[in-house]
Amino acid sequence: FFLKMSAFSLGLNSFTVPFSMHSENRSRLVSSLLTETSDGIVLLEGGISKERNDTDHELLFRQESYFHYLFGVKEPGFWGALYFTETTVKSILFCPRLPDEYAVWMGKITTPEQFKSHYEVDEVMYVDEMESWMASSSSSTNNLLLMNGKNSDSGSMYVPPNPPPTMTIDTKTLFPILANQRVYKTAKELELMKHVSKVTSLSHVNTMRTIKPGMMEYQAEATFLHFNYFHYGCRQLAYTAICACGPDPAVLHYGHAGAPNDQKINDGDMCLMDMGAEYHCYCSDITMSWPANGTFTDVQKIVYEGVLNAQRNVFEILRPGTSWVECHKAAEKAILTAMVKLGVIRMVNGVTMDDMVELRLGGVFMPHGLGHFIGVDTHDVGGYLPDFPKRESGPGLKSLRTARILEKDMCLTVEPGCYFIDYTIDNALKDDKLKGFIVEAEVNKHRGTGGVRLEDVIAITEESFTNYTVAPRGIDEVESVMAGNKWPPLKDLYPELKR
């Protein structure tokens, strides 16, 4: 099956991704590079297969993201090159030369010609032939472009590989161009993103209908993963699943090894499920919040509607030309309004809701940023690059993963949340600028109740946006789905969400 098509597919209901998507990405890159230099060779190293600690247990391989973006290769141990001049462009893959015994343990060895046909590149050679190829190519170009830069989400550096000593090395040009290119999705990428978010949405709905009080949080994770893989071939999750119930939603990145979705789900809990499928290394990231017993309490309704109104506030201004920072503030305004309704915040004479936003009161209840770019990585690259807006300061704003002005073909998540976190509440009660707004006796009633987050995957269009998240959002929709009723409904009752 692997050799029969120049595309990625796992058959049945799985999505077919043409490898022309990656050739388009390569063409876009070369066009951008030609504005900076007349010729060169781009060299990228793919991911390598790793074992667990000192054992021979091979970890499930996932391709390095930049390499996948340009070549779509699923196997480890590859290198890739783009040779370009003003008149010529060639794409070259270098595959590992495997020993004959590989066929016994791992299956039939694929030839360079078979890789060439499958991945739609101009040439495939072995890795041990790469240095001689580069030496021969240096007669027409001596300009070797390597990746070298910091990921603004992780803080980790992309360290360039060790190149042959015969070429002039450029480690400044490639990284900002390629990172910025990944911000803007092609039509084929957007179709794939739309599919993965549809799968994720349907899987969340299935999880909502399956999980009941008395079950464990990890059963929600298992239900979600099984649906994605069994029905749509999504073998990996886009990130560690967050299945937080009761007080656990107040831990923003719950689900890690120290808190592995291991608590019992109780009647009356709010459940926050932040999970996303991944297919062909493209990610979705959707968060649902719902009552474990299927019915919201009056207090849960206030908090939930506040977060949903935060999404609505953002969606009203979500279009090219809008600042992502302003989107974040619009979300905070809705959440603070809900907190006033709940009685945990008081209005002070002469101070408007906008003033409270600027005082960073919203960071007490939503300490994370509004969302992030998404694509080949869940927290996709390009958030903070040279010549784009710098990171803001202050609670909430400092956690924004980008401060850029929105443009067509950007793909992002919109994920406002409202949480009752002891740490942020305690600090606010000690802060002379904030403590006068907080009704301590009332906010204390909500400690230990967790929180609510709603997260959609959206793409910016020519004049507005489109929402790839096909999930129940209205309180009536959530309760209807959990009662077993049809989803999606025949009529959309919330057209402002643009699902």
Side-chain angles (χ1 to χ4, degrees):
F1 183 75
F2 168 77
L3 300 175
K4 289 181 180 178
M5 58 192 305
S6 186
F8 177 83
S9 174
L10 293 174
L12 296 178
N13 294 325
S14 67
F15 193 77
T16 298
V17 185
F19 283 116
S20 57
M21 182 179 78
H22 300 286
S23 62
E24 286 179 16
N25 292 340
R26 296 194 295 269
S27 295
R28 291 171 66 204
L29 175 60
V30 170
S31 295
S32 296
L33 289 173
L34 284 172
T35 66
E36 302 291 330
T37 181
S38 60
D39 57 64
I41 295 174
V42 172
L43 182 66
L44 273 78
E45 182 181 9
I48 59 173
S49 181
K50 297 181 179 180
E51 289 77 38
R52 185 173 62 198
N53 301 323
D54 64 339
T55 75
D56 64 352
H57 173 77
E58 187 174 352
L59 300 175
L60 183 60
F61 176 72
R62 199 272 196 187
Q63 187 59 266
E64 193 280 320
S65 294
Y66 283 104
F67 189 81
H68 177 82
Y69 176 77
L70 291 178
F71 294 102
V73 173
K74 67 180 181 181
E75 296 85 0
F78 274 65
W79 291 66
L82 287 176
Y83 168 92
F84 67 95
T85 67
E86 292 177 333
T87 59
T88 304
V89 177
K90 289 184 67 176
S91 55
I92 303 95
L93 283 173
F94 299 93
C95 65
R97 193 188 296 271
L98 301 170
D100 292 342
E101 307 87 64
Y102 179 96
V104 176
W105 301 99
M106 305 295 282
K108 186 176 180 179
I109 297 175
T110 306
T111 67
E113 279 300 315
Q114 289 170 326
F115 280 129
K116 175 184 174 182
S117 174
H118 182 61
Y119 287 121
E120 290 189 351
V121 293
D122 297 307
E123 196 168 353
V124 176
M125 290 177 276
Y126 290 110
V127 172
D128 57 29
E129 298 173 312
M130 182 169 61
E131 189 167 343
S132 61
W133 174 83
M134 295 187 69
S136 64
S137 299
S138 64
S139 60
S140 53
T141 178
N142 196 40
N143 184 25
L144 182 61
L145 292 90
L146 301 177
M147 292 284 286
N148 185 25
K150 179 182 287 188
N151 184 304
S152 60
D153 288 301
S154 66
S156 299
M157 291 294 296
Y158 188 113
V159 179
N162 292 320
T166 56
M167 304 191 76
T168 301
I169 309 302
D170 178 350
T171 59
K172 296 185 180 299
T173 301
L174 180 59
F175 183 88
I177 289 176
L178 187 51
N180 191 52
Q181 180 177 309
R182 280 176 55 183
V183 172
Y184 306 94
K185 306 300 188 284
T186 65
K188 288 185 176 68
E189 286 182 293
L190 289 174
E191 280 300 308
L192 178 52
M193 296 289 295
K194 181 178 180 180
H195 167 75
V196 179
S197 287
K198 179 182 177 182
V199 171
T200 298
S201 300
L202 295 176
S203 190
H204 270 291
V205 168
N206 180 64
T207 303
M208 292 169 67
R209 289 174 168 161
T210 302
I211 299 304
K212 308 294 181 187
M215 299 176 73
M216 301 296 288
E217 292 168 333
Y218 60 74
Q219 291 180 285
E221 179 179 359
T223 300
F224 183 85
L225 177 58
H226 174 264
F227 185 95
N228 299 337
Y229 197 12
F230 185 87
H231 294 289
Y232 294 98
C234 299
R235 189 176 192 183
Q236 304 205 63
L237 296 182
Y239 51 94
T240 301
I242 299 171
C243 300
C245 300
D248 298 332
V251 181
L252 299 183
H253 283 175
Y254 185 77
H256 57 83
N261 299 324
D262 59 354
Q263 297 301 300
K264 185 178 179 180
I265 302 169
N266 297 307
D267 192 2
D269 282 353
M270 275 296 292
C271 299
L272 187 158
M273 302 288 165
D274 186 340
M275 299 183 282
E278 178 179 297
Y279 186 78
H280 193 55
C281 292
Y282 278 74
C283 304
S284 183
D285 183 358
I286 292 173
T287 304
M288 309 290 296
S289 294
W290 36 268
N293 61 17
T295 303
F296 288 87
T297 66
D298 290 341
V299 168
Q300 289 170 346
K301 285 180 180 179
I302 293 173
V303 178
Y304 185 93
E305 280 289 347
V307 177
L308 182 57
N309 285 335
Q311 278 200 326
R312 289 189 175 107
N313 277 9
V314 175
F315 289 165
E316 285 182 4
I317 61 174
L318 206 59
R319 63 180 65 90
T322 299
S323 163
W324 191 240
V325 175
E326 293 308 308
C327 290
H328 179 94
K329 291 180 179 179
E332 286 184 325
K333 189 172 181 179
I335 290 166
L336 290 175
T337 300
M339 294 300 95
V340 171
K341 183 176 181 180
L342 193 61
V344 303
I345 289 178
R346 62 169 65 93
M347 299 299 295
V348 176
N349 289 338
V351 180
T352 67
M353 192 65 70
D354 288 329
D355 293 333
M356 291 161 66
V357 169
E358 294 304 321
L359 285 168
R360 307 308 319 129
L361 185 60
V364 177
F365 301 97
M366 189 174 86
H368 61 72
L370 176 63
H372 49 82
F373 290 130
I374 186 168
V376 186
D377 289 306
T378 303
H379 296 159
D380 215 9
V381 296
Y384 295 100
L385 292 170
D387 302 322
F388 291 102
K390 306 299 182 184
R391 190 182 295 273
E392 298 274 331
S393 60
L397 293 180
K398 67 182 180 182
S399 298
L400 280 169
R401 295 183 184 274
T402 189
R404 290 176 66 155
I405 305 301
L406 299 178
E407 297 180 69
K408 182 178 180 292
D409 297 328
M410 288 180 170
C411 204
L412 307 100
T413 67
V414 177
E415 53 175 308
C418 181
Y419 319 88
F420 299 97
I421 302 171
D422 288 339
Y423 176 80
T424 59
I425 293 170
D426 290 342
N427 283 345
L429 291 171
K430 299 173 187 175
D431 189 322
D432 291 338
K433 293 186 300 182
L434 301 180
K435 64 183 182 182
F437 296 99
I438 298 175
V439 183
E440 184 172 0
E442 291 300 316
V443 77
N444 286 343
K445 295 177 183 178
H446 301 284
R447 292 177 186 262
T449 61
V452 168
R453 180 163 66 250
L454 300 175
E455 181 176 16
D456 289 3
V457 177
I458 63 94
I460 304 298
T461 60
E462 193 76 46
E463 296 181 351
S464 182
F465 74 99
T466 186
N467 192 340
Y468 292 154
T469 306
V470 191
R473 286 300 185 217
I475 285 176
D476 53 342
E477 289 182 333
V478 172
E479 292 184 342
S480 175
V481 164
M482 296 191 72
N485 293 318
K486 179 179 174 61
W487 185 263
L490 296 176
K491 182 180 179 181
D492 188 357
L493 300 178
Y494 300 91
E496 73 274 15
L497 302 181
K498 296 193 178 182
R499 294 175 292 188

